[in-house]
Amino acid sequence: MWPGPRGTGTALHASLPATQVQGGHRHSPENDVDLFAHDLGFIAHVDNGAIRGYNVCIGGGMGMTHGEPATFPRLSDVIGFCTPDQVLDVAEAVLKVQRDNGDRHDRKHARLKYTVEDHGVDWFRAEVEHHLGTTLDEARDFHFASNGDRYGWYQGEDGAWHYGLFVQNGRLADFEDGMHLLSGMRAIAQVHTGDIILTTNQNLIIANVPADKRDEIDALIHRHRMTRDVTPLRQASMACVAFPTCGLAMAESERYLPSLIDKLEDVMHKVGLEDNAINVRMTGCPNGCARPYLAEIGFVGKALGRYNLYLGGNPSGERLNRLYRENIDEPTIMDELTSLLQRYAEERESGEPFGDYVIRAGIIAETTAGRYFHGAPA
């Protein structure tokens, strides 16, 4: 929960970031769970330290199938606001609506996102309210500031300390260069009395560390060389596992993205963007496990060494991207992105994210809804 360590539940796919109000001032919440990518999400409304309720979001999902435009990623919709004592009843009502109306004949059309898309958001809300026996309140205002993780030491509202550890593509291992993440986490687990949290961005949080234990944890992190200086670009990257683990993979992802990031870092440095974070995600197939369709730069595997390139997501996880180039190899990827990053460095407005720039500059059309993902009206 904001602003300490957070995580997701899985009734369907569920997520739970929060918005915070203190003394009349609203603090921007962190969408670190990519709430709009899930079937069911709750955005907590916190007032003076107490949760007053939740905005309810339904109908998100990432998966699609190459060559089948009837399948598409979709962002969830906010349908209302519920009180804390209503949360489980609302979740159960959403499940019942999907149970009674979800497609049982076509597996590719079985997700809740298609039920919402086929029947409409207003219809779905009415069905949820029918099962609840009451109406949902109108949604509360909120604004997401980002969707990444925090790194290093930070303190929660309760005074407990948490350490955010960057784990590239979620691979916890002892590497040949002397970075021993696996051994280090094993040593930390033996002395740590708090929690170890896996984040939805493939990183770790060593959570609820007493103040007098920080030096001990720091010593283990240093001894096992568990951190290194990495660019904002690399911190904002994510890949699915793909080959050799996943039988659905069409192209490399986890084993390939780090080397592609190396090359993109060189470009970013040459054009003066080395301190900028651009959200880059890659998957080996179109099922979207690393949520590539929300990325500012997304890669989706088509065949060995070939990817679809998507552009136009935003850093807060609230906009889908769109296909920019199809079935391209690494030299083409680098040619395209080198040119685009050079233009971005020269033409961007102050504070303008890359995903916003490519839309403003007319490089890619904005995707305003999942049904338009494959090239419909902007």
Side-chain angles (χ1 to χ4, degrees), residues 57-235:
C57 308
I58 50 95
M62 289 286 97
M64 69 165 196
T65 302
H66 286 315
E68 297 190 20
T71 65
F72 49 83
R74 187 183 191 279
L75 299 181
S76 63
D77 294 285
V78 181
I79 63 170
F81 182 85
C82 71
T83 57
D85 62 315
Q86 291 178 306
V87 169
L88 290 179
D89 290 337
V90 169
E92 183 177 337
V94 171
L95 288 167
K96 287 179 176 177
V97 177
Q98 175 66 2
R99 177 198 64 190
D100 297 340
N101 299 279
D103 192 336
R104 295 293 178 270
H105 303 288
D106 182 357
R107 187 170 182 267
K108 294 180 180 179
H109 193 251
R111 285 290 297 269
L112 184 142
K113 64 179 178 179
Y114 297 122
T115 307
V116 176
E117 189 69 27
D118 292 345
H119 294 276
V121 176
D122 292 340
W123 173 90
F124 202 100
R125 172 175 173 160
E127 289 295 302
V128 169
E129 292 174 337
H130 170 74
H131 285 289
L132 284 174
T134 186
T135 59
L136 295 170
D137 289 341
E138 291 304 308
R140 303 295 193 265
D141 290 337
F142 67 94
H143 169 71
F144 284 144
S146 66
N147 70 345
D149 289 332
R150 305 182 193 185
Y151 300 104
W153 288 107
Y154 58 93
Q155 195 170 20
E157 285 185 326
D158 59 359
W161 287 94
H162 317 290
Y163 188 92
L165 179 69
F166 173 67
V167 183
Q168 184 166 239
N169 300 328
R171 178 60 61 180
L172 205 62
D174 290 344
F175 298 100
E176 292 181 357
D177 63 359
M179 187 178 192
H180 292 164
L181 290 177
L182 185 59
S183 296
M185 284 308 304
R186 183 182 295 117
I188 289 171
Q190 290 172 347
V191 300
H192 179 44
T193 57
D195 302 312
I196 296 173
I197 297 172
L198 309 181
T199 80
T200 56
N201 295 301
Q202 302 180 328
N203 299 306
L204 285 176
I205 302 173
I206 305 166
N208 298 314
V209 179
D212 60 0
K213 288 287 187 179
R214 280 187 55 178
D215 288 345
E216 184 177 14
I217 299 296
D218 265 334
L220 290 171
I221 290 171
H222 177 74
R223 182 184 308 162
H224 293 277
R225 298 176 59 188
M226 297 174 68
T227 62
R228 59 174 58 145
D229 290 333
V230 297
T231 63
L233 181 75
R234 193 174 299 271
Q235 284 186 338

Side-chain angles (χ1 to χ4, degrees), residues 358-374:
V358 294
I359 293 172
R360 180 182 62 81
I363 294 166
I364 197 78
E366 180 180 5
T367 299
T368 56
R371 57 187 172 276
Y372 302 140
F373 178 77
H374 295 291

